[in-house]
Amino acid sequence: MQNEEIKEYIISQEPEAKFDETGEWLNVIINPLSWRLLAEKLKHADLQLDYLFCLTCIDWKTHLTMVYHLTSTKYRHSIVIKTDINRTAPQIETVSDIWRTAEFHEREVFELFGVEFLHHPDLRKLILTDDFEGYPLRKDFEDPINMIKL
Amino acid sequence: MYTQTEIIKDTTQLNSNGNEGELVINVGPQHPATHGVLHLVITLNGETIKKIEPHLGYIHRSIEKMCESLTYRQFIYVTSRMDYLSAHINNLACALCVEKGMQIEVPERAQVIRILMSELTRIASHELWVGAMAMDLGAFTPFFYTFREREVINDIMEQTCGARLTMNYMVPGGTMYDLHPDFQNRVKAFIIQFTSKVTELEDLIANNIIFQNRTKGVGVLSAEDAISYGCTGPVARGSGVSCDIRKIQPYSGYEKVSFEEVLEPAGDSYARYLIRIREMYQSISIIEQLIDNIPEGDFQAKTKAVLKLPKGEFYTRVETARGELGVYIVSEGGTTPYRIKFRSPGFSNLSALNHMVKGSKIGDLMATMGTLDLVIPDIDR
């Protein structure tokens, strides 16, 4: 499906969505509160975006941005969903029951960025130890023992 | 991580809840069949697996954070230490991402060398997997057979790249050096050796009734689940999902060579075995097409000493021996990435393990986990 058709569909579901076409794929910027409902439609309805190939977060110092890379194994079109969440108490609804791969990826973002995924079935640290303090991939993280900057 | 006391507490809790006979056991972090430091906490009822929880991080180095302070020339070397069996392809993914950002044209000779090296890497990785998988199931001999061929590839790599495992041969703009003058002859000799010897593996493993009984119908993953869990590479193709990035989004000149994407619909461990064996034949076919047709010219494009990516986001997807590797660079216009994310194939493949083995016998665990081809540094990063 062409970008124009995808845009039309998303606008019909989420009128407040903004678009950015400067990158390789169509970027859709949405409100975090509407993410969960939109996600269900993206997977099951017209677009058939059934494969979440990357889920990550970016720390912009003033806010965090969740980034979801989606593609359709049927139509082979890809889009990127971005949504800004606040940095002090970041929260967003989980999509781990829609795309099962999100379960591990969200646990990774939870421990490395401190984002709380609401209604996640098993939100615990995955890579770091239980007593680890701080969120290593945030820009203001300092490690007094291990050198992480040159 | 669970401490020892917590596990004992867990077990007693389960028992006091009336679930008698349920037992929590640890496999790893040091276990011969996990091929690295992977820790699985398994809840058993008798011999039946009720739940598997992977505990990761024993080899976590925070490569993503490290890369934030390394320049676009330096960060490629770190990625050799992720999936060390596909080091070439990891390096290639990073080089491609930087080239995409800077719009560097890679000379044709370099593109062909890159494909040749990637396919040799894929064969070496699959060879190691076949041997290790057979060893997990108790057959020790195939390990030596597969290492015989793998050694030849490693020697070819050493001659041209100077290293056997962490090659660091791909740089933004092309390759670091030109090919060794003896490269073509040695690769041709390897093709002859490989094609005459690979049938031995079929006799030893695929036609072996013990191997078939232990892998057929074991660890079944449906196509729908494979997509939902983000499985890629031979794991997804073993469930009939077409996901080869070399076909979907060709890079580095893969659109110019002809090869087949191998698919098997069964979704069991045996299908995943067949996929990898057939992929080796496809890789050999790609190498045969290119080895006599390496274009003359530069092996590296002229690039500036200091690389600066323009402000923006760049994402490349490549097909490693284990599946789809994604490199996501967010640039603020400087000499180092603002944020870098490696979407590693092993991480997503591992997430499907619980789903695949739930309800099966513990004896089948290794026959399933082995076919995921897990490389732990790739998962932990």
Side-chain angles (χ1 to χ4, degrees):
Chain A
M1 231 183 262
Q2 296 303 311
N3 278 0
E4 290 307 314
E5 292 172 73
I6 299 174
K7 269 163 117 178
E8 248 173 57
Y9 177 79
I10 291 175
I11 286 280
S12 70
Q13 300 300 325
E14 179 58 32
E16 283 172 28
K18 291 184 187 71
F19 299 97
D20 173 10
E21 283 181 271
T22 48
E24 186 181 354
W25 295 305
L26 175 69
N27 281 253
V28 184
I29 298 127
I30 57 162
N31 186 325
L33 295 174
S34 53
W35 166 230
R36 169 80 207 186
L37 274 176
L38 182 66
E40 276 171 18
K41 288 172 194 154
L42 289 181
K43 181 176 177 182
H44 298 293
D46 304 16
L47 297 183
Q48 297 270 321
L49 293 158
D50 51 358
Y51 172 30
L52 176 71
F53 65 93
C54 186
L55 186 164
T56 190
C57 185
I58 304 166
D59 180 15
W60 292 107
K61 292 178 189 152
T62 51
H63 61 274
L64 302 175
T65 302
M66 287 297 302
V67 186
Y68 301 84
H69 286 77
L70 294 162
T71 190
S72 164
T73 51
K74 193 174 169 197
Y75 302 117
R76 300 283 180 216
H77 54 223
S78 310
I79 64 167
V80 186
I81 302 278
K82 285 183 186 164
T83 176
D84 291 349
I85 46 182
N86 81 46
R87 203 165 173 276
T88 42
Q91 280 186 337
I92 192 162
E93 283 286 337
T94 180
V95 287
S96 58
D97 51 333
I98 301 172
W99 298 283
R100 307 289 291 274
T101 181
E103 185 177 337
F104 269 38
H105 281 93
E106 286 180 345
R107 277 175 73 178
E108 194 192 0
V109 171
F110 164 70
E111 64 186 339
L112 300 177
F113 286 93
V115 178
E116 191 191 338
F117 291 90
L118 304 168
H119 305 109
H120 187 285
D122 187 21
L123 200 61
R124 288 180 296 123
K125 285 197 166 101
L126 180 67
I127 290 170
L128 304 173
T129 50
D130 283 346
D131 54 356
F132 193 93
E133 280 176 29
Y135 306 114
L137 281 184
R138 286 202 184 183
K139 288 287 170 184
D140 54 3
F141 178 81
E142 294 290 338
D143 191 329
I145 301 161
N146 303 303
M147 187 186 76
I148 47 174
K149 278 187 200 135
L150 285 178
Chain B
M1 294 306 137
Y2 270 88
T3 61
Q4 206 58 41
T5 42
E6 275 171 335
I7 289 166
I8 293 166
K9 207 174 81 193
D10 256 7
T11 319
T12 47
Q13 270 174 354
L14 285 169
N15 288 342
S16 64
N17 288 343
N19 297 327
E20 237 174 277
E22 268 192 14
L23 182 66
V24 179
I25 62 161
N26 291 281
V27 172
Q30 305 290 343
H31 190 278
T34 55
H35 305 292
V37 275
L38 175 67
H39 179 191
L40 300 173
V41 179
I42 308 175
T43 310
L44 286 174
N45 187 353
E47 270 196 81
T48 311
I49 298 170
K50 298 206 80 177
K51 193 172 78 173
I52 282 200
E53 265 180 77
H55 286 222
L56 309 176
Y58 289 92
I59 193 160
H60 176 62
R61 295 143 294 177
S62 202
I63 283 179
E64 290 172 13
K65 185 82 177 177
M66 256 196 268
C67 289
E68 285 177 13
S69 59
L70 296 174
T71 67
Y72 290 113
R73 285 198 189 281
Q74 292 169 330
F75 88 101
I76 292 179
Y77 305 113
V78 185
T79 60
S80 300
R81 277 83 185 163
M82 290 196 312
D83 180 354
Y84 51 85
L85 295 176
S86 299
H88 252 311
I89 312 180
N90 293 353
N91 298 161
L92 176 59
C94 300
L96 284 170
C97 202
V98 175
E99 283 154 14
K100 189 183 265 180
M102 297 193 62
Q103 293 171 335
I104 300 171
E105 279 280 323
V106 181
E108 259 186 53
R109 183 178 174 82
Q111 290 198 357
V112 170
I113 295 174
R114 282 174 167 189
I115 297 183
L116 281 170
M117 288 303 188
S118 299
E119 294 312 313
L120 283 173
T121 307
R122 198 180 314 278
I123 295 171
S125 174
H126 284 351
E127 286 273 8
L128 184 132
W129 173 82
V130 173
M133 169 70 193
M135 203 162 68
D136 286 351
L137 297 182
F140 207 84
T141 317
F143 195 70
F144 297 106
Y145 281 65
T146 56
F147 261 60
R148 181 186 55 201
E149 264 81 64
R150 187 170 171 271
E151 278 303 298
V152 179
I153 298 182
N154 280 355
D155 288 344
I156 295 172
M157 295 290 183
E158 189 180 13
Q159 200 182 30
T160 289
C161 318
R164 291 160 61 83
L165 269 183
T166 50
M167 292 85 159
N168 304 325
Y169 183 60
M170 311 289 179
V171 293
T175 62
M176 194 173 258
Y177 334 98
D178 206 351
L179 289 174
H180 191 273
D182 211 15
F183 179 80
Q184 277 163 302
N185 289 334
R186 289 188 76 164
V187 171
K188 281 181 202 163
F190 167 73
I191 294 174
I192 295 167
Q193 182 191 343
F194 177 86
T195 39
S196 64
K197 303 277 187 189
V198 75
T199 47
E200 287 178 355
L201 288 180
E202 310 237 321
D203 294 339
L204 269 172
I205 306 173
N207 297 338
N208 184 321
I209 192 71
I210 303 173
F211 183 81
Q212 291 190 6
N213 285 345
R214 286 204 61 186
T215 51
K216 277 187 180 169
V218 166
V220 180
L221 182 70
S222 71
E224 199 178 296
D225 287 332
I227 297 169
S228 183
Y229 277 103
C231 295
T232 46
V235 178
R237 289 196 284 277
S239 301
V241 180
S242 158
C243 61
D244 195 330
I245 307 296
R246 294 174 294 173
K247 286 278 186 200
I248 299 170
Q249 252 189 330
Y251 54 93
S252 192
Y254 268 109
E255 65 277 9
K256 291 175 204 156
V257 290
S258 67
F259 67 100
E260 258 175 57
E261 180 179 4
V262 192
L263 293 175
E264 280 283 334
D268 59 359
S269 290
Y270 191 67
R272 293 189 278 276
Y273 166 82
L274 290 179
I275 293 276
R276 290 196 176 89
I277 295 285
R278 287 187 199 153
E279 273 191 11
M280 288 201 280
Y281 285 107
Q282 293 300 322
S283 296
I284 285 287
S285 140
I286 295 174
I287 294 170
E288 277 174 339
Q289 288 169 48
L290 294 175
I291 192 69
D292 282 322
N293 302 313
I294 304 176
E296 294 295 320
D298 292 337
F299 56 88
Q300 204 186 94
K302 285 199 171 60
T303 47
K304 286 181 190 149
V306 180
L307 301 178
K308 270 188 186 173
L309 250 67
K311 194 172 173 359
E313 295 177 4
F314 310 98
Y315 196 106
T316 41
R317 302 162 78 184
V318 299
E319 183 77 19
T320 75
R322 258 145 287 278
E324 173 185 340
L325 172 74
V327 178
Y328 178 46
I329 296 180
V330 180
S331 169
E332 282 281 81
T335 53
T336 58
Y338 183 77
R339 161 100 175 100
I340 193 159
K341 157 87 183 166
F342 296 107
R343 184 263 184 224
S344 68
F347 188 75
S348 298
N349 289 353
L350 174 69
S351 70
L353 180 66
N354 180 40
H355 177 75
M356 287 160 81
V357 299
K358 212 192 296 175
S360 63
K361 297 276 184 279
I362 189 161
D364 290 339
L365 172 65
M366 292 312 162
T368 307
M369 196 175 74
T371 54
L372 292 180
D373 196 7
L374 302 173
V375 168
I376 312 305
D378 178 44
I379 297 168
D380 284 0
R381 282 159 289 139

